[in-house]
Amino acid sequence: AAMAYQESKWDPEARSHMGAYGIMQITAPTAQDIGLIDPANPVKNIMAAAKYLDQLRALIPDNAKEPDRTYLAMAAYNVGIGHLTDAIKLTKIQGGDPNRWRDIRERLALLSNPKYYRKLRNGYARGEETIQYVENIRALHDLMIWVETQHNLMNQSLEAMLARISLTTSDGLGARVIGRPTTSEVAPAKMASDGVMTRD
């Protein structure tokens, strides 16, 4: 869900200047590769994107573990597996960890610098945009998890409160109306000398 929002703000008719289409912004060549015939269909678009993301995840080096593996697959979804491979290669050259997103992220930023991209196989890329892309998805995902957790906690608190109310308002024979005394609680009335009804 977070990735779909980053791609299109959940708009199934979104279209980019690069020709990407649909809720997951799939380009025509990618759609053809993964067999997506109707990119305007949001369900098919999402399913195709999930399939493509799995394919990219399989291309990430085996030593990359989760969650880094998913972060790298998302980066490849945005910038292309070729440019991500260049960033991984550059990470190795500079002594970073080629299996960690935090290290590869630093090298993605260098793909727009001619000092580096001219020596790499796939050339120039807007690596800074890819970094922001992945970090936005991570932040939104964390926010969604937090909101869901708070929602569940509120539901649990409400259920507990209702359970306590049910227990405290039961007289053993069934529920009673809060604030209204039962018959046994009403003190016997007597007539005062002035004719006014009073209670002991």
Side-chain angles (χ1 to χ4, degrees):
M3 191 170 174
Y5 184 83
Q6 177 64 29
E7 286 288 347
S8 66
K9 302 297 186 292
W10 297 324
D11 180 1
E13 298 181 356
R15 187 186 298 273
S16 77
H17 66 282
M18 298 294 291
Y21 189 79
I23 197 167
M24 293 300 293
Q25 291 292 279
I26 298 177
T27 62
T30 300
Q32 184 175 3
D33 289 343
I34 58 181
L36 176 60
I37 299 175
D38 184 12
N41 184 308
V43 174
K44 292 181 179 179
N45 196 286
I46 292 171
M47 295 300 292
K51 177 181 178 181
Y52 181 49
L53 192 64
D54 280 342
Q55 291 177 356
L56 293 173
R57 188 183 283 108
L59 297 175
I60 303 301
D62 292 338
N63 289 332
K65 307 303 180 183
E66 294 294 351
D68 294 278
R69 194 174 191 82
T70 294
Y71 300 155
L72 295 173
M74 290 191 299
Y77 189 99
N78 177 260
V79 76
I81 190 65
H83 291 302
L84 179 67
T85 300
D86 284 347
I88 292 174
K89 178 181 179 180
L90 190 56
T91 302
K92 292 179 181 178
I93 292 173
Q94 295 185 345
D97 187 340
N99 301 304
R100 299 296 298 272
W101 163 247
R102 66 184 182 189
D103 286 18
I104 297 170
R105 177 180 58 190
E106 295 179 11
R107 279 72 191 188
L108 276 168
L110 302 178
L111 297 186
S112 60
N113 187 331
K115 176 182 176 181
Y116 298 100
Y117 74 70
R118 286 176 178 170
K119 300 176 183 179
L120 297 171
R121 181 176 182 179
N122 295 282
Y124 171 86
R126 293 190 292 270
E128 289 284 0
E129 291 184 8
T130 299
I131 295 169
Q132 194 62 55
Y133 173 87
V134 174
E135 295 303 328
N136 284 351
I137 294 172
R138 292 181 63 187
L140 182 56
H141 176 264
D142 289 346
L143 177 60
M144 287 178 169
I145 294 297
W146 181 85
V147 170
E148 182 179 8
T149 300
Q150 296 304 308
H151 177 74
N152 291 337
L153 289 174
M154 288 179 64
N155 282 342
Q156 292 172 9
S157 297
L158 180 59
E159 290 173 0
M161 181 177 67
L162 291 175
R164 288 196 299 271
I165 291 175
S166 177
L167 288 173
T168 57
T169 59
S170 175
D171 60 4
L173 298 176
R176 51 176 279 202
V177 179
I178 300 175
R180 179 179 296 175
T182 61
T183 304
S184 61
E185 294 173 331
V186 179
K190 65 180 182 179
M191 185 71 71
S193 58
D194 57 1
V196 178
M197 294 290 290
T198 62
R199 300 185 187 278
D200 292 333

